[in-house]
Amino acid sequence: MKVPVSWLSELVDLPAGISVEELDTAFVRLGFEVEEIVRPPATTGPLVVGRVLEIEELTGFKKPIRYTQVDVGEDAPRGIVCGARNFAVGDLVVAALPGAVLPGDFAIAARKTYDHVSDGMICSVRELGIGEDYAGILVLGQDGFVPGTPAADVLGLDDVVFDLDVTPDRGYAMSMRGIARDLAGVLGVPWRDPADLPLPDWSGAPAWDVTVADADRCDRFSMLALEDLDPAAPSPWALRQRLAQCGVRSISLAVDVTNYVMLELGQPMHAFDRATVRGPITVRKATAGERLTTLDGADRALTDDDLLITDESGPIGMAGVMGGASTEIGDSTTAVLLEAAHWEQTGISRGVRRHRLPSEAGKRFERGTDPEVTVVALARAAALLVEHGGARVVGAPVDVDTRTPRQPVALDADLPGRIAGVDYTRAQVIDALEAIGATVEGTGETLRVFPPTWRGDLVEPADLVEEVVRFRGFDEIPSILPTAPPGRGLTERQRRRRSIGRALADAGYTEAPAFPFIGTPQLDALGLPADDDRRRVNTVRNPLSEEAPALRTTLLPGLLASLARNLARGQRDVALFEHGAVFPGGERPAAPLPGVDRRPDDATLAALLGAVPAQPWHVAVAITGQREPRGWWGPGRAAEWADAVQAARTVAQAAGAELTVRAGERAPWHPGRCAELLVDGRVVGHAGELHPKVCETLGLPPRTSVMELDADAFPAPGVPQAPPISTFPPVLIDLALVVADDVPAARVADALADGAGELLEAIRLFDVYTGAPVPAGSRSLAYALTLRAPDRTLTGEEAAAVRDAALAAVTAATGAALRA
């Protein structure tokens, strides 16, 4: 919310001499974060209001040029050359005279151009540093200023604008009215409520029939009809200036007025072209198959959760989100139908996100507006249109009001002090609550607090406590830090997770944390079966994105999206990893909603924890392109499924676990190139190539390989034991074995290790071969065995005996034969 100090000073009696820094401190004390303080642009020298007296069209040049005579309050007018076409004789403009220096160190001097001496410059808002519009010069209208008046005051060049970050629970502060009320309270000065206006004595019947079919989503709906509006009437400069300072673009008088009232009172409004509205208006939910073309030109499919404003022709607006194109205010609109309503917040929020239509009105409606000011806003907007556009109000306003009285909130007068640790008196608590607009009743220790209509967020005692503390000042809360307990260092689980991340980074993988939410399309892209456990998700009630409303059950969608994004940006050799929590779905008991007035008991805490889904820690990698780059040393090597399996081994080694690998099958992996990852006989993950259809769907190169495993399934490591180190030399033996294709290499290695016994120090598969002379349906696996004794040098006979025992064991276990 952008807050010009000049506008604020019209509503609040600011203390004399208050500085920008003091205002900044007051805003921070109120709980507003000041994102930026916009100070006036640097402009010096003669800058005045001028009136255009004559315009001479110059010819013979490549572009249209005008030579004007401008009255700048001196004895004689000044001749100024200008290329803009958006002004006429009699218009008031801003003239920079020789000696003026505009923003950007742009010095103005008299100079000859286009065969005439230009004795100054007529300025645009961009040249003045107060806007970005450079299509024409700034026209102030034809009345209201005397030529020669210093333009700095007219333009607000000495004004300061505060850009405040308003939290979602304080929708009232999205208006000058709300900011002024809070600031006056904290400064202890009077203020004037712009909504405290006497309503006109409208006569006649309402000009339109209105029915609200869903009172739960709209408890107040007001409309007012006007006619005889001059469609060519410009918005006055003061109004356009305020809109520009608040970051709102000027469009037309009718639209500008509704935006101005929204900024002033916090009540968004919409203006319909009355001539295009057909028959009675109904506020209702959409039905299946309905569509609406909104003001942005998009044809939108509606859902049964969308709340609509309709007439006999169908939908003419999406309530609180955006109006329809069929009733848009145009250049020839002379009859206007103004609408102001109070919408239920969460419905507006869902609609804004569902249709991706964020707007200034939507920001206010989803935070909550004041239902008491709908008719006041209509009266304010109507008065401005009558004054500046010559409009005339037709009949009385429509006001469908189905609100029910709000119940008071019981508050112990000493509760704010107990929670904040500050000794607030009863009078201080009441003063703070009354400062925010609440009505306080009760003579004892328990107060009955009636929150104001603009504070729909005040529903519990804790909400009122926060307001008391905020108005009294957060700086009054004592800052006493407890004695920090002695550190215990990282837990075993934390150390393991860090070790896994470091190991993968050392192996050449780059960490790529992803968005932890998924949707059905992402799971469909992986080709998961309908009964796959990963489709049982936990859905978030108020998701950040309607396309990804559920907590992830696998790391692969986010990791593969990161991989595709890097490939789309020109990367070709990419190796990524992520480790983080996943959230398997399933039936769980409902979580209780504990109060905030006391600590939850053990049963409530246990019920809360029981409702929290399991959150196992997964690790995943994705790799494509060249695993080893080509160069003078060789042709390089493309990444393959074996690299994904090796990444799993790297993870297991970092976690101190022993991993077993065997053939498996699971989506989204290729059925013939998928490996199951086991620890102590339990499947903890899978690795291999992605299915070709998955690669095609996600736009990934063929043979992209991935791995995902559950790191929490690894057994807790024991106390690390250093292996004994033998000082005697090893014996190296290579064995090439022919085995059937369906015999896992890990099974062969296990059998060799069992047969070799205690003298085996290490075993490694170093070659896999198929083809002649190996028979069809078989393959050759070559292993390197390292033998060593701790207390002696092994003899040739001992090494041969170990070799023969290993061969016998692998032959018996797998049917392997020594390759000739």
Side-chain angles (χ1 to χ4, degrees):
M1 177 66 190
K2 295 184 177 180
V3 181
V5 174
S6 61
W7 198 351
L8 193 64
S9 63
E10 293 178 6
L11 303 176
V12 180
D13 291 339
L14 297 176
I18 189 169
S19 66
V20 172
E21 290 71 23
E22 289 171 328
L23 282 175
D24 184 12
T25 301
F27 284 132
V28 172
R29 183 180 176 188
L30 284 168
F32 297 118
E33 180 180 350
V34 180
E35 292 189 336
E36 184 182 9
I37 300 176
V38 182
R39 299 181 184 271
T43 302
T44 60
L47 188 69
V48 299
V49 174
R51 185 184 298 279
V52 179
L53 302 178
E54 298 178 11
I55 298 177
E56 177 187 353
E57 302 288 348
L58 303 182
T59 59
F61 302 101
K62 292 183 179 180
K63 61 179 182 178
I65 297 296
R66 289 174 155 186
Y67 182 63
T68 65
Q69 294 295 320
V70 182
D71 178 6
V72 293
E74 299 174 342
D75 294 337
R78 299 230 182 190
I80 300 176
V81 175
C82 182
R85 314 288 298 177
N86 67 318
F87 64 99
V89 172
D91 283 346
L92 293 170
V93 296
V94 176
L97 304 182
V101 180
L102 301 183
D105 202 23
F106 182 21
I108 305 299
R111 63 189 182 93
K112 186 174 183 180
T113 180
Y114 297 102
D115 299 332
H116 291 73
V117 175
S118 183
D119 200 12
M121 184 177 77
I122 304 176
C123 303
S124 69
V125 293
R126 189 172 189 179
E127 292 160 342
L128 294 167
I130 58 175
E132 293 298 323
D133 185 10
Y134 56 90
I137 57 98
L138 171 60
V139 177
L140 301 177
Q142 294 195 342
D143 298 302
F145 304 105
V146 176
T149 301
D153 294 337
V154 175
L155 301 175
L157 295 183
D158 56 349
D159 203 359
V160 175
V161 178
F162 284 86
D163 191 355
L164 305 181
D165 183 17
V166 178
T167 54
D169 61 326
R170 298 169 69 182
Y172 73 93
M174 297 290 288
S175 68
M176 293 301 302
R177 179 194 185 208
I179 295 293
R181 181 191 298 108
D182 269 11
L183 187 64
V186 77
L187 295 178
V189 296
W191 78 291
R192 291 161 292 283
D193 187 351
D196 188 15
L197 298 175
L199 294 179
D201 186 15
W202 288 302
S203 61
W208 226 265
D209 292 331
V210 175
T211 302
V212 177
D214 192 339
D216 292 335
R217 296 279 296 273
C218 177
D219 59 9
R220 190 171 189 185
F221 187 88
S222 308
M223 296 192 86
L224 184 64
L226 297 96
E227 60 184 27
D228 296 338
L229 174 68
D230 180 2
S235 299
W237 163 247
L239 190 148
R240 285 184 287 143
Q241 179 194 22
R242 289 279 166 83
L243 293 179
Q245 288 179 314
C246 294
V248 179
R249 182 171 60 92
S250 175
I251 298 175
S252 66
L253 177 61
V255 177
D256 290 352
V257 163
T258 60
N259 286 331
Y260 181 84
V261 174
M262 175 186 71
L263 294 171
E264 183 181 52
L265 302 180
Q267 174 63 57
M269 305 174 66
H270 186 69
F272 298 91
D273 186 339
R274 184 182 170 194
T276 61
V277 179
R278 302 285 180 256
I281 286 178
T282 302
V283 179
R284 60 169 175 82
K285 288 184 179 179
T287 57
E290 281 193 296
R291 306 186 71 88
L292 171 66
T293 300
T294 46
L295 289 174
D296 58 357
D299 181 23
R300 303 183 183 276
L302 305 174
T303 72
D304 58 5
D305 188 51
D306 289 318
L307 193 64
L308 303 178
I309 302 173
T310 66
D311 65 2
E312 290 180 349
S313 66
I316 60 173
M318 198 180 307
V321 179
M322 183 173 283
S326 64
T327 55
E328 180 180 6
I329 296 291
D331 294 337
S332 59
T333 299
T334 60
V336 175
L337 199 57
L338 295 178
E339 167 261 310
H342 182 251
W343 312 106
E344 189 266 330
Q345 299 169 229
T346 59
I348 299 298
S349 181
R350 291 193 302 270
V352 167
R353 284 156 179 76
R354 181 166 49 249
H355 295 284
R356 297 182 180 179
L357 282 174
S359 65
E360 290 298 319
K363 288 180 184 178
R364 288 161 175 81
F365 281 132
E366 64 185 0
R367 285 168 167 80
T369 59
D370 184 1
E372 199 65 36
V373 300
T374 59
V375 176
V376 174
L378 293 178
R380 177 71 166 132
L384 291 172
L385 290 175
V386 169
E387 178 183 358
H388 301 292
R392 178 174 60 87
V393 176
V394 180
V398 177
D399 188 21
V400 181
D401 190 351
T402 59
R403 292 176 294 160
T404 57
R406 289 184 66 179
Q407 297 301 312
V409 179
L411 175 70
D412 289 342
D414 62 344
L415 182 61
R418 294 203 313 268
I419 291 180
V422 180
D423 188 18
Y424 298 129
T425 66
R426 186 176 185 277
Q428 288 175 329
V429 171
I430 294 176
D431 288 344
L433 293 174
E434 290 178 342
I436 67 171
T439 301
V440 183
E441 297 179 355
T443 57
E445 286 301 314
T446 301
L447 305 176
R448 298 176 70 241
V449 182
F450 293 83
T453 56
W454 57 85
R455 294 301 303 269
D457 58 306
L458 303 181
V459 295
E460 295 184 355
D463 302 326
L464 301 176
V465 169
E466 180 182 358
E467 292 303 303
V468 171
V469 174
R470 184 170 68 88
F471 258 86
R472 293 298 305 172
F474 292 112
D475 51 348
E476 290 188 6
I477 301 176
S479 178
I480 303 174
L481 294 177
T483 303
R488 298 180 181 178
L490 299 176
T491 64
E492 190 62 43
R493 177 173 293 184
Q494 289 171 329
R495 284 196 293 270
R496 170 182 283 184
R497 291 174 180 176
R498 293 194 180 189
S499 296
I500 289 172
R502 284 195 298 267
L504 287 173
D506 291 344
Y509 291 86
T510 301
E511 186 172 5
F515 197 53
F517 302 100
I518 59 174
T520 301
Q522 290 95 319
L523 299 176
D524 291 341
L526 296 181
L528 303 186
D531 59 349
D532 195 295
D533 288 343
R534 288 167 291 180
R535 286 190 177 274
R536 302 177 64 187
V537 297
N538 297 290
T539 303
V540 181
R541 282 188 177 179
N542 187 23
L544 296 176
S545 169
E546 293 290 341
E547 295 182 354
L551 293 168
R552 65 187 178 189
T553 55
T554 169
L555 299 180
L556 294 183
L559 190 63
L560 294 177
S562 298
L563 185 67
R565 190 176 303 111
N566 279 275
L567 293 171
R569 294 179 179 177
Q571 300 296 324
R572 288 294 174 264
D573 307 325
V574 187
L576 304 178
F577 82 93
E578 181 180 7
H579 57 146
V582 298
F583 310 87
E587 296 295 330
R588 300 187 316 281
L593 184 62
V596 296
D597 55 340
R598 62 180 61 85
R599 182 186 184 278
D601 56 27
D602 293 341
T604 302
L605 290 175
L608 286 170
L609 294 175
V612 175
Q615 302 174 49
W617 194 266
H618 279 207
V619 181
V621 304
I623 184 170
T624 189
Q626 293 291 111
R627 184 63 176 136
E628 297 174 2
R630 65 182 180 180
W632 57 265
W633 52 83
R637 180 178 67 82
E640 57 180 3
W641 64 269
D643 293 298
V645 174
Q646 182 56 40
R649 290 195 172 100
T650 300
V651 171
Q653 183 179 7
E658 187 174 347
L659 193 70
T660 303
V661 180
R662 71 184 183 195
E665 186 172 335
R666 181 173 173 83
W669 284 272
H670 191 296
R673 298 187 180 121
C674 175
E676 286 184 340
L677 311 174
L678 299 93
V679 173
D680 295 337
R682 175 189 171 191
V683 177
V684 298
H686 293 79
E689 284 185 14
L690 282 177
H691 195 287
K693 290 185 177 179
V694 176
C695 291
E696 181 181 357
T697 301
L698 297 177
L700 299 174
R703 302 212 166 191
T704 295
S705 298
V706 299
M707 178 277 293
E708 183 175 17
L709 58 79
D710 181 0
D712 282 351
F714 292 152
V719 178
Q721 298 291 333
I725 300 176
S726 175
T727 60
F728 295 92
V731 176
L732 306 178
I733 298 175
D734 291 345
L735 291 177
L737 306 171
V738 178
V739 298
D741 286 341
D742 60 352
V743 176
R747 183 180 169 194
V748 176
D750 291 343
L752 287 172
D754 291 341
E758 295 181 353
L759 294 179
L760 179 67
E761 183 177 84
I763 182 171
R764 179 175 62 89
L765 175 67
F766 68 87
D767 184 57
V768 179
Y769 174 75
T770 56
V774 176
S778 300
R779 55 181 174 164
S780 171
L781 304 178
Y783 292 88
L785 281 66
T786 301
L787 308 180
R788 195 195 306 260
D791 56 352
R792 67 189 186 281
T793 299
L794 292 177
T795 64
E797 291 78 7
E798 289 176 311
V802 172
R803 176 181 180 275
D804 293 342
L807 279 173
V810 75
T811 300
T814 66
L818 187 65
R819 180 179 170 187

